[in-house]
Coordinates of all heavy atoms in Angstrom, one line a residue:
I64 N -18.6 2.1 -60.2 CA -17.2 1.5 -60.5 C -16.9 0.5 -59.4 O -16.3 -0.6 -59.6 CB -16.2 2.7 -60.5 CG1 -16.5 3.7 -61.5 CG2 -14.8 2.1 -60.7 CD1 -16.3 3.4 -62.9
L65 N -17.2 0.9 -58.1 CA -16.8 0.0 -57.0 C -17.5 -1.3 -57.2 O -17.0 -2.4 -56.9 CB -17.2 0.6 -55.7 CG -16.8 -0.2 -54.4 CD1 -15.3 -0.5 -54.4 CD2 -17.3 0.5 -53.1
E66 N -18.8 -1.3 -57.6 CA -19.6 -2.5 -57.7 C -18.9 -3.5 -58.7 O -18.7 -4.6 -58.5 CB -21.0 -2.3 -58.1 CG -21.8 -3.6 -58.4 CD -23.2 -3.6 -57.8 OE1 -23.8 -2.5 -57.8 OE2 -23.7 -4.7 -57.5
K67 N -18.5 -2.9 -59.8 CA -17.8 -3.7 -60.9 C -16.5 -4.3 -60.3 O -16.2 -5.5 -60.5 CB -17.4 -2.8 -62.1 CG -18.5 -2.7 -63.1 CD -17.9 -2.0 -64.3 CE -19.0 -1.3 -65.0 NZ -18.6 -0.1 -65.8
Q68 N -15.8 -3.5 -59.6 CA -14.5 -4.0 -59.1 C -14.7 -5.0 -58.0 O -13.9 -6.0 -58.0 CB -13.7 -2.8 -58.6 CG -13.2 -1.9 -59.7 CD -12.3 -0.7 -59.2 OE1 -12.7 0.1 -58.3 NE2 -11.2 -0.6 -59.8
L69 N -15.6 -4.8 -57.1 CA -15.9 -5.8 -56.1 C -16.4 -7.1 -56.7 O -16.0 -8.2 -56.2 CB -16.9 -5.3 -55.0 CG -16.4 -4.2 -54.1 CD1 -17.5 -3.7 -53.2 CD2 -15.2 -4.6 -53.3
R70 N -17.3 -7.0 -57.6 CA -17.8 -8.2 -58.3 C -16.7 -9.0 -58.9 O -16.6 -10.3 -58.8 CB -18.8 -7.8 -59.3 CG -19.6 -9.0 -59.9 CD -20.5 -8.7 -61.1 NE -21.4 -7.6 -60.8 CZ -21.5 -6.5 -61.6 NH1 -20.7 -6.3 -62.6 NH2 -22.4 -5.6 -61.3
N71 N -15.8 -8.3 -59.5 CA -14.7 -9.0 -60.2 C -13.8 -9.7 -59.2 O -13.4 -10.9 -59.3 CB -13.9 -7.9 -61.0 CG -12.6 -8.5 -61.6 OD1 -11.6 -8.5 -61.0 ND2 -12.8 -9.0 -62.8
K72 N -13.4 -9.0 -58.1 CA -12.5 -9.6 -57.1 C -13.2 -10.8 -56.4 O -12.6 -11.8 -56.1 CB -12.2 -8.6 -56.0 CG -11.3 -7.4 -56.5 CD -9.9 -7.9 -56.8 CE -9.1 -6.7 -57.3 NZ -7.8 -7.2 -58.0
A73 N -14.5 -10.6 -56.1 CA -15.3 -11.7 -55.4 C -15.4 -12.9 -56.3 O -15.2 -14.1 -55.9 CB -16.7 -11.2 -55.1
S74 N -15.5 -12.7 -57.7 CA -15.6 -13.9 -58.6 C -14.3 -14.7 -58.6 O -14.3 -15.8 -58.9 CB -16.0 -13.4 -60.0 OG -14.9 -12.7 -60.6
K75 N -13.2 -14.0 -58.3 CA -11.9 -14.7 -58.3 C -11.5 -15.1 -56.9 O -10.4 -15.5 -56.6 CB -10.8 -13.8 -58.9 CG -11.1 -13.4 -60.3 CD -10.0 -12.4 -60.7 CE -10.2 -11.9 -62.1 NZ -9.6 -10.6 -62.3
N76 N -12.5 -15.0 -55.9 CA -12.2 -15.3 -54.5 C -11.0 -14.5 -54.0 O -10.3 -15.0 -53.1 CB -11.9 -16.8 -54.4 CG -12.2 -17.3 -53.0 OD1 -12.9 -16.7 -52.3 ND2 -11.6 -18.4 -52.7
Q77 N -10.9 -13.3 -54.4 CA -9.7 -12.5 -53.9 C -10.2 -11.5 -52.8 O -10.3 -10.3 -52.9 CB -9.1 -11.6 -55.1 CG -8.4 -12.5 -56.1 CD -7.9 -11.8 -57.3 OE1 -8.3 -10.6 -57.6 NE2 -7.1 -12.4 -58.1
Y78 N -10.6 -12.2 -51.7 CA -11.1 -11.4 -50.5 C -10.0 -10.9 -49.7 O -8.9 -11.5 -49.6 CB -12.0 -12.3 -49.7 CG -13.3 -12.6 -50.3 CD1 -13.5 -13.8 -51.1 CD2 -14.4 -11.7 -50.3 CE1 -14.7 -14.0 -51.7 CE2 -15.5 -11.9 -50.9 CZ -15.7 -13.1 -51.7 OH -16.9 -13.3 -52.3
G79 N -10.2 -9.7 -49.1 CA -9.2 -9.1 -48.2 C -9.9 -8.0 -47.4 O -11.0 -7.5 -47.9
V80 N -9.3 -7.6 -46.3 CA -9.9 -6.5 -45.5 C -9.8 -5.2 -46.3 O -8.7 -4.9 -46.8 CB -9.3 -6.4 -44.2 CG1 -9.9 -5.3 -43.3 CG2 -9.4 -7.7 -43.4
V81 N -10.9 -4.4 -46.4 CA -10.9 -3.2 -47.1 C -11.0 -2.0 -46.1 O -11.9 -2.0 -45.3 CB -12.2 -3.1 -48.0 CG1 -12.2 -1.7 -48.8 CG2 -12.3 -4.2 -49.0
V82 N -10.0 -1.1 -46.2 CA -10.1 0.1 -45.3 C -10.9 1.1 -46.0 O -10.7 1.4 -47.2 CB -8.7 0.6 -44.9 CG1 -7.8 0.9 -46.1 CG2 -8.8 1.9 -44.1

Side-chain angles (χ1 to χ4, degrees):
I64 303 288
L65 180 61
E66 174 139 32
K67 271 189 208 156
Q68 292 183 304
L69 289 176
R70 190 190 301 127
N71 178 270
K72 296 288 180 197
S74 71
K75 296 176 188 159
N76 202 24
Q77 291 174 345
Y78 289 95
V80 180
V81 180
V82 52

